[in-house]
Amino acid sequence: MDAEGVLAGLDPEQRAVAEAVRGPVCVLAGAGTGKTRAITHRIAYATLTGVVAPQRVLAVTFTTRAAGELRGRLRQLGAPGVQARTFHAAALRQLSYFWPRVIGGDPPRILESKIGLIKEAARACRLSFGGTELRDVASEIEWAKVTQCRPEDYAAAVARSARKAPADVVDIARVYVMYEELRRERNLLDFEGMLELTAAVLTEHREVAQQVREQYRYFVVDEFQDVNPLQKLLLDTWLGDRDDICVVGDPNQTIYSFTGATPSYLLDFTADHPGATVVKLVRDYRSTPQVVGLANGVIGQAKGEAAKRHKLELVAQRDNGPEPSFAEYDDEVAEADDVARRARKLIDEGVPAREIAVLFRINAQSEAYEAAFAAAGVPYVLRGAERFFERPEVREAVVRLRGAARAGADAETDGTGLIMTVRHVLSGAGFSDRPPEGAGAVRARWESLAALAQLAEDMAADNPQAGLPEFVAELEERAAAQHAPPLEGVTLASLHSAKGLEWDAVFLVGLVEGTLPIIYAETAEQVEEERRLLYVGITRARVHLSLSWALARTPGGARFRRPSRFLEGVNGRTGTSAPARVDRAKRRPAAKGPQPCRVCGRPLTAAVERKLGRCEDCPVELNEDLLAALKDWRAGVAADQKVPAYVVFTDATLQAIAERNPGSAEELARISGVGKTKLDRYGEAVLALCTG
């Protein structure tokens, strides 16, 4: 591709970015506006016009997946030599190269996780933390290190930032001190230390800085609103006194301040670089006008400095679609059940399951949706679970494909040859054109192999001449970047983990005060960050968008919750004059008075008591052997289906079964927690255990 070909097909704003080949350049890019397209074409145009050699470019991003995507696009544009790396990968590469020359001795071992060392440090301080607390303390130490806060300054820094520490600040500071001592004694280097040490080597050794700056003369930094002080320190060290830098970011998507990220570097870029070229990308190619209108309506109410200084209002480029829907439910169980039903309806109407997502504020909210989707027989994928390329069936498939490529197993490369070859190789690993019945381990294995087959189809569509060697190379690069292909299941994910992704249909759930904004968002800026989090969720949707909330947490519970304040003024309209549809969905008929205890007759109010059908302290005969047998059976089923045990039956439901010892399907169905789907799926096995 020549230079003019690189510019072809860009919209006016994207072309302005591509042609601004000399820094400093600031690109303010709204969601779905093609920022990756703009910056990759800018780099390619600069290299093809001789402004810079590809080997002199360093494109920095935040995830290995994003870096892999940049490299792939640049190869297609004729700039294969560009370095696209994360901050940590670039720092480690430089540190490893210069270590023997400037430091010497054994290089430190990279600490992949802080948890084990923090546990030891806490024990040395005579403190005991549980698993969740250890993760929270690790996050606090990471925050302190990226904000360049030493242990002795930690307590004061927490107070200044209005941060909620997960434990006593004095205790965290003590653990922080001991963690650093243990790390240095054992010659370990964590990810924050890696950045800090690289910056120190460049600062203290002029010849090293000179060599690095000779190597990299042209910088592009993606997601600049997420840069933290330590990353900014390293970036400034790389740059020196030069200003050939292009930064790309969206102040409306600043959602990681709790990790130490700050949008101030993006907001102040023109002050730090007078005369910088500023380009705004606002043409949204991702979402329908209805989705874009709602997104603009939510972010249009934003307050604070970022909203004043760099306001981006998206302009939809797609055709009209359905209005976003708003639904209110009596409780979270009803909400999850209906979302599962509506997801099934979308799938039946032709929307692929992998193009549907359910997004929530906190990970704990996933439990209800895992149970609801399992009960409805809708396949789902929990984002952040087991890594795709580490699954046994995927590793086996890659080995088979690699061997076939070496053996020259390619069919004719006419666009279908690659697809036929990959499917043939995968059939040896158990893949078939038709998915197996039901869920469980067999279905999960098939879905992994189907994702590889779909990836081959995607590659053949992009490049009909691609063969098996190219496909294997693509798999190996994706594995290195942990860039998994989409799996055939509805995605369940937190709003934070969904950033950078998109789907045809998105369900935003649990939108109540105390959850969004989260209850510990107390300052005005913290509340505004929660608003931006909702904006990120809305802009993940291409066509279908649903927003919902529940008035109570559990069935029959007090209905005291209020919809999120961020929906005020937009849940009756989508940012235009057209009213949005408001569904007040009631999945269950109202109960006629409280359920009575089957032993003493007292009204039951607690959820666990209603599940058992009795007061917790009422005497009851429990078949201990049956309960143990039920739990063993459940463990086996959960392992086969690769789902948590509670998705099969909760402990309370198993206890209720062991107490009542049902002898028929009708008796089993009357136990709370045994619905029609679970009765059909597990009833025969449970009754067999009950009858011995």
Side-chain angles (χ1 to χ4, degrees):
M1 185 177 293
D2 61 16
E4 284 305 311
V6 166
L7 298 179
L10 300 179
D11 70 28
E13 294 79 22
Q14 292 170 347
R15 184 176 180 124
V17 173
E19 291 180 326
V21 291
R22 285 297 183 187
V25 177
C26 178
V27 182
L28 299 174
T33 58
K35 69 179 177 70
T36 304
R37 177 180 175 84
I39 60 174
T40 51
H41 283 244
R42 177 183 184 269
I43 294 170
Y45 186 69
T47 60
L48 291 171
T49 54
V51 171
V52 64
Q55 295 78 14
R56 298 291 184 260
V57 181
L58 179 59
V60 188
T61 188
F62 279 79
T63 67
T64 52
R65 173 178 177 171
E69 183 181 356
L70 283 176
R71 288 193 296 270
R73 292 201 191 189
L74 288 167
R75 276 199 307 272
Q76 293 175 352
L77 292 171
V82 172
Q83 295 293 307
R85 301 184 181 278
T86 64
F87 275 100
H88 294 101
L92 180 59
R93 183 182 177 90
Q94 293 171 19
L95 198 59
S96 300
Y97 180 80
F98 290 110
W99 185 274
R101 184 197 310 179
V102 300
I103 299 177
D106 294 332
R109 182 167 60 87
I110 302 302
L111 190 62
E112 295 290 339
S113 171
K114 293 181 175 66
I115 300 297
L117 204 60
I118 288 175
K119 188 174 184 179
E120 285 189 53
R123 191 182 301 122
C125 295
R126 298 187 178 181
L127 295 170
S128 178
F129 294 127
T132 301
E133 292 171 312
L134 285 170
R135 287 192 294 273
D136 289 342
V137 172
S139 296
E140 280 300 288
I141 292 176
E142 287 169 5
W143 172 81
K145 298 189 79 170
V146 301
T147 56
Q148 298 288 275
C149 169
R150 304 304 176 194
E152 59 271 21
D153 302 321
Y154 169 74
V158 168
R160 280 196 308 272
S161 63
R163 187 178 180 85
K164 292 286 186 183
D168 184 274
V169 291
V170 175
D171 288 342
I172 293 177
R174 290 170 56 211
V175 172
Y176 185 6
V177 170
M178 184 57 64
Y179 164 82
E180 290 288 82
E181 287 183 8
L182 293 174
R183 184 185 60 76
R184 284 191 291 266
E185 286 175 3
R186 299 175 188 183
N187 197 27
L188 300 173
L189 192 64
D190 57 26
F191 290 114
E192 297 77 34
M194 185 193 305
L195 302 188
E196 193 171 34
L197 188 55
T198 303
V201 167
L202 290 169
T203 302
E204 296 171 10
H205 298 272
R206 184 176 300 177
E207 72 283 5
V208 172
Q210 184 176 352
Q211 187 171 341
V212 170
R213 291 168 188 165
E214 177 66 24
Q215 173 68 47
Y216 299 119
R217 303 177 183 178
Y218 202 81
F219 292 85
V220 177
V221 186
D222 196 10
E223 304 288 3
F224 200 60
Q225 78 280 350
D226 292 333
V227 166
N228 62 48
L230 183 54
Q231 291 164 336
K232 183 62 163 55
L233 171 68
L234 179 59
L235 179 62
D236 289 344
T237 308
W238 284 336
L239 272 170
D241 58 1
R242 300 167 300 168
D243 64 358
D244 243 339
I245 179 171
C246 172
V247 301
V248 189
D250 181 1
N252 289 341
Q253 297 190 65
T254 303
I255 59 173
Y256 291 112
S257 68
F258 64 94
T259 67
T262 172
S264 63
Y265 304 125
L266 177 64
L267 299 175
D268 296 336
F269 187 82
T270 52
D272 295 338
H273 299 273
T277 301
V278 178
V279 183
K280 291 186 177 182
L281 302 182
V282 296
R283 300 177 196 243
D284 188 321
Y285 297 95
R286 175 188 299 161
S287 306
T288 64
Q290 287 71 21
V291 173
V292 169
L294 180 59
N296 285 337
V298 167
I299 206 65
Q301 300 182 43
K303 305 174 181 65
E305 193 66 20
K308 291 178 186 175
R309 294 168 58 186
H310 289 296
K311 185 176 182 180
L312 289 177
E313 185 168 335
L314 300 175
V315 180
Q317 304 297 301
R318 293 187 55 160
D319 292 336
N320 282 321
E323 293 283 353
S325 67
F326 296 81
E328 182 177 278
Y329 298 89
D330 287 341
D331 54 73
E332 287 184 4
V333 174
E335 184 180 14
D337 287 347
D338 199 45
V339 167
R341 178 190 65 80
R342 293 166 68 188
R344 167 58 69 191
K345 185 171 183 291
L346 286 171
I347 293 170
D348 292 342
E349 291 171 352
V351 179
R354 67 177 179 274
E355 288 294 347
I356 303 173
V358 179
L359 306 181
F360 32 76
R361 174 61 179 85
I362 55 176
N363 288 320
Q365 291 173 274
S366 74
E367 179 179 342
Y369 292 89
E370 292 178 60
F373 277 78
V378 177
Y380 68 88
V381 178
L382 189 61
R383 182 164 174 80
E386 179 186 27
R387 291 185 173 186
F388 177 82
F389 286 101
E390 293 174 3
R391 297 180 179 182
E393 64 270 20
V394 175
R395 290 202 300 266
E396 177 192 345
V398 172
V399 169
R400 287 175 177 268
L401 289 164
R402 192 182 293 125
R406 285 198 298 266
D410 263 329
E412 291 295 324
T413 56
D414 59 355
T416 60
L418 174 63
I419 300 170
M420 294 170 57
T421 302
V422 169
R423 284 179 171 265
H424 175 71
V425 175
L426 294 180
S427 67
F431 177 68
S432 60
D433 289 336
R434 294 180 61 84
E437 295 293 330
V442 174
R443 177 64 185 244
R445 179 184 177 87
W446 182 89
E447 287 171 354
S448 296
L449 299 177
L452 296 176
Q454 180 62 49
L455 191 61
E457 292 187 22
D458 294 342
M459 175 174 274
D462 290 339
N463 179 12
Q465 302 306 311
L468 197 56
E470 289 82 3
F471 182 67
V472 170
E474 171 74 7
L475 288 181
E476 290 174 343
E477 182 166 337
R478 281 173 169 265
Q482 287 302 324
H483 183 186
L487 296 173
E488 196 54 49
V490 174
T491 300
L492 306 182
S494 70
L495 286 163
H496 282 101
S497 68
K499 187 168 179 290
L501 304 176
E502 58 187 83
W503 296 270
D504 283 345
V506 171
F507 293 88
L508 301 178
V509 300
L511 304 180
V512 295
E513 286 290 306
T515 302
L516 192 74
I518 200 73
I519 193 169
Y520 47 76
E522 297 176 350
T523 68
E525 179 47 42
Q526 287 169 344
V527 170
E528 286 307 308
E529 183 154 329
E530 295 289 299
R531 185 194 306 277
R532 295 192 292 268
L533 195 54
L534 176 60
Y535 173 83
V536 167
I538 292 170
T539 54
R540 300 310 94 195
R542 298 190 190 104
V543 181
H544 305 278
L545 177 63
S546 170
L547 302 91
S548 63
W549 59 91
L551 300 177
R553 194 175 75 82
T554 57
R559 300 169 61 187
F560 62 85
R561 291 174 163 182
R562 293 187 299 112
S564 170
R565 72 189 73 172
F566 304 140
L567 300 179
E568 293 175 7
V570 298
N571 65 348
R573 59 183 68 244
T574 61
T576 68
S577 59
R581 177 171 58 85
V582 177
D583 291 333
R584 293 190 175 274
K586 295 184 178 180
R587 301 288 295 145
R588 299 179 178 82
K592 297 180 180 179
Q595 176 186 349
C597 171
R598 58 188 166 87
V599 179
C600 70
R602 182 182 70 81
L604 301 176
T605 56
V608 68
E609 291 182 337
R610 292 194 300 274
K611 182 82 74 172
L612 294 173
R614 62 172 177 83
C615 303
E616 285 194 273
D617 54 357
C618 276
V620 69
E621 292 185 8
L622 174 65
N623 187 331
E624 299 281 359
D625 292 339
L626 175 57
L627 181 59
L630 287 168
K631 287 186 175 181
D632 288 344
W633 164 82
R634 179 184 64 174
V637 171
D640 288 343
Q641 297 182 358
K642 291 190 175 179
V643 297
Y646 62 77
V647 172
V648 182
F649 284 120
T650 64
D651 287 346
T653 299
L654 291 187
Q655 184 166 337
I657 294 171
E659 289 180 5
R660 301 191 195 186
N661 203 2
S664 66
E666 292 76 14
E667 292 178 9
L668 180 59
R670 286 196 288 269
I671 295 175
S672 178
V674 183
K676 183 179 184 305
T677 301
K678 291 192 177 184
L679 186 66
D680 293 343
R681 187 173 297 171
Y682 307 125
E684 186 176 345
V686 171
L687 289 172
L689 290 171
C690 291
T691 58

